[in-house]
């Protein structure tokens, strides 16, 4: 049984235990409610702290008023994203370009649940989710006390492990409605929790729903007070996201420095490099006295060295640099080359008879060890130039020569054009008996640091929103962990903390991203989200001003808000299942 099945089994056992304790009334005895497998553990401890925190009422009201405005901006932006996504998907059906079903539209990846969403790492995801929920709910609670709305309890949400916190305001004071209780009797079989209502209960609930309790002495929040309380949670998420991203893109990323771009991906076991201790996933920083910034630097230094020459390779493992011996075993090793994926129609390569699936090994005798070599040769070529291209295959030894007359490049008139679409796996065999790969660690870090400057455009915001899922090139960005962290070392203030700076970066990344995303999601004009309640309140006030009829205004605003909620829900379902309906399940 693998880890996933064990975890699932333990979770089911936990859920059964929760059901058993609920039916025996043990949880109710300790004021614990259940929502499926989630335990809502209440306490009144800490309520006095809320009163103290709520003392600067003017400051908190200004904070919440800003939150209301940001909520409406987020509401418009998120609703536009939903509508534009629907339009794009409907258009893709018309022109038969609907994307294949994939991980981006899987149902589990729609929900921001660590361990369920495959893009969110479990550890950092749980930390970020707990922070997100606590600041959201705690902000609601503080604004309740600022507006003199009673907070009945606070507590922890538990599902095997703590997944967040909550504040429980007095719903009657906040929304002006009596809390409905289905029955005060015991519910030993959990019928009412499952939505099963027997006939006499249905009649009693129907009668209760007709009752209206009006008490002018009771405190009921005004529309503005309610909006402040609801917007406070969103504002808290945005503030925490701003703080986390400011720290991440400022001092934390500034305390990281790339070790180099060249990583060992394979070592021949019969080589001196292996016996001296060189292993996979080490980052090469220097050979002898020559710094190695990329694969070409390494290949350039090794070129011309005779067989048997011993070199000193400086390589980092877990950011600790050591020196290893290696000797040149095969100075004339054949270059890896680059693979031709396809041939451009009516191009120079097509005219010469070069075929897709083959490998370019040499051009005019110059070895093609990486895409950089190929790019350098083509950038220095001119239209009409004759070149000799040595082509090999994966299944045969040796190469076949083709005489090719380059044509004019379609984008640069002065540059030659071969007419091939290539791919390169990034791995290069070297004369030291090791194979290396290149990751643009320096460029990647600089691009990451430049995200704040990109926020001047819509594209920058979309990049930030999709960073963990899409990343810079569709690969996603889970954080500085695993192999990626091997390319960097802490410097400056972070040097004494070692690997801790990467933990800090990951925590800030996920806390910032999850707070930003949850804040935006809660802006959507769909009840029961915070944005839905605020939207309905303000829409109700607008319609009331136009019609002067309170009941009509309430009815129309409720219907419009309900329609928005249905549209948004159907849009999410369309995003998930649309590709399956088009391409099949």
């Amino acid at each position: 049984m693998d880890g996933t099945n064990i975890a699932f089994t333990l979770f089911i056992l936990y859920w059964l235990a929760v059901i058993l304790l609920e039916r025996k009334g043990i949880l109710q005895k300790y004021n614990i409610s259940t929502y499926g497998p989630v335990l809502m553990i209440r306490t009144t401890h800490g309520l006095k702290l809320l009163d103290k925190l709520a003392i600067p009422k003017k400051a908190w009201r200004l904070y919440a008023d800003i939150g209301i405005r940001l909520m409406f901006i987020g509401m418009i932006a998120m609703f536009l994203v939903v509508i534009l996504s629907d339009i794009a998907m409907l258009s893709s059906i018309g022109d038969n370009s609907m994307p294949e079903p994939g991980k981006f539209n899987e149902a589990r990846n729609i929900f921001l649940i660590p361990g369920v969403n495959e893009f969110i790492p479990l550890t950092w995801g749980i930390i970020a989710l707990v922070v997100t929920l606590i600041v959201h709910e705690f902000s609601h609670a503080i604004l309740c006390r600022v507006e003199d709305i009673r907070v009945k309890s606070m507590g922890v949400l538990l599902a095997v492990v703590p997944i967040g916190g909550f504040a429980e305001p007095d719903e009657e004071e906040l929304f002006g409605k009596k809390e409905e209780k289905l029955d005060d009797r015991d519910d030993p079989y959990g019928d009412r929790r499952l939505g099963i209502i027997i006939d006499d209960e249905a009649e009693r609930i129907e009668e209760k729903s007709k009752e209206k309790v009006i008490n002018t002495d009771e405190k009921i929040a005004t529309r503005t007070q309610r909006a402040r309380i609801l917007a406070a949670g969103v504002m808290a998420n945005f503030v925490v996201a701003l703080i986390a991203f400011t720290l991440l893109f400022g001092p934390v990323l500034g305390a990281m420095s790339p070790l180099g771009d060249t990583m060992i991906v394979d070592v021949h076991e019969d080589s001196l490099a292996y016996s001296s201790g060189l292993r996979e996933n080490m980052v090469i920083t220097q050979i002898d006295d020559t710094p190695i910034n990329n694969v070409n630097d390494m290949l350039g230094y090794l070129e011309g060295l005779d067989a048997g020459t011993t070199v000193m390779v400086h390589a980092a493992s877990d950011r600790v640099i050591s020196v290893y011996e290696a000797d040149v075993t095969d100075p004339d090793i054949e270059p890896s080359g680059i693979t031709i994926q396809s041939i451009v129609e009516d191009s120079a390569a097509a005219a010469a008879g070069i075929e897709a699936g083959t490998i370019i090994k040499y051009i005019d005798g110059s070895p093609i060890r990486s895409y950089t070599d190929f790019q350098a040769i083509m950038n220095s070529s001119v239209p009409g130039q004759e070149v000799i291209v040595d082509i090999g295959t994966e299944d045969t030894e040796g190469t076949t020569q083709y005489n090719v007359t380059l044509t004019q490049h379609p984008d640069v008139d002065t540059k030659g054009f071969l007419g091939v679409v290539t791919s390169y796996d990034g791995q290069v065999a070297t004369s030291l008996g090791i194979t290396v790969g290149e990751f643009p660690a320096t460029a990647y870090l600089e691009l990451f640091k430049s995200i704040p400057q990109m926020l001047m455009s819509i594209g920058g915001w979309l990049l930030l929103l999709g960073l963990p899922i899409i990343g810079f090139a569709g690969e996603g960005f889970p954080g500085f962990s695993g192999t990626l962290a091997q390319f960097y070392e802490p410097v400056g203030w972070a040097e004494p903390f070692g690997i801790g700076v990467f933990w800090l970066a990951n925590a800030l990344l996920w806390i910032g991203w999850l707070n930003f995303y949850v804040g935006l999601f809660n802006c959507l004009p769909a009840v029961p989200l915070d944005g839905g309640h605020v939207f309905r309140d303000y829409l109700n006030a607008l319609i009331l001003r136009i019609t002067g009829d309170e009941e009509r205004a309430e009815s129309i605003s409720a219907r419009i808000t309900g329609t928005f909620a249905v549209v948004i829900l159907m849009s999410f379902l369309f995003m998930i299942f649309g590709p399956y309906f088009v391409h099949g399940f």
Side-chain angles (χ1 to χ4, degrees), residues 85-99 574-575 577-583:
S85 298
D86 289 342
I87 293 173
M89 291 196 66
L90 289 171
S91 299
S92 67
I93 295 176
D95 56 22
N96 202 27
S97 61
M98 173 73 75
F574 184 40
M575 292 177 198
F577 297 109
Y580 291 96
F581 285 122
V582 173
H583 297 285

Side-chain angles (χ1 to χ4, degrees), residues 7-70:
F8 181 74
T9 302
L10 291 175
F11 183 78
I12 293 299
L13 292 174
Y14 155 80
W15 197 345
L16 291 174
V18 168
I19 294 173
L20 179 63
L21 292 172
E22 171 71 12
R23 289 186 174 182
K24 288 184 175 293
I26 297 175
L27 296 180
Q28 186 178 7
K29 178 181 177 181
Y30 293 98
N31 199 23
I32 300 174
S33 300
T34 61
Y35 292 89
V38 179
L39 296 179
M40 192 174 182
I41 305 174
R42 296 180 176 84
T43 180
T44 56
H45 295 294
L47 294 182
K48 291 183 178 180
L49 176 62
L50 290 179
D51 291 330
K52 293 180 180 179
L53 292 174
I55 289 175
K57 295 183 182 292
K58 288 185 178 179
W60 281 116
R61 284 173 179 146
L62 176 62
Y63 165 89
D65 287 341
I66 296 172
I68 294 173
R69 287 155 179 78
L70 290 178

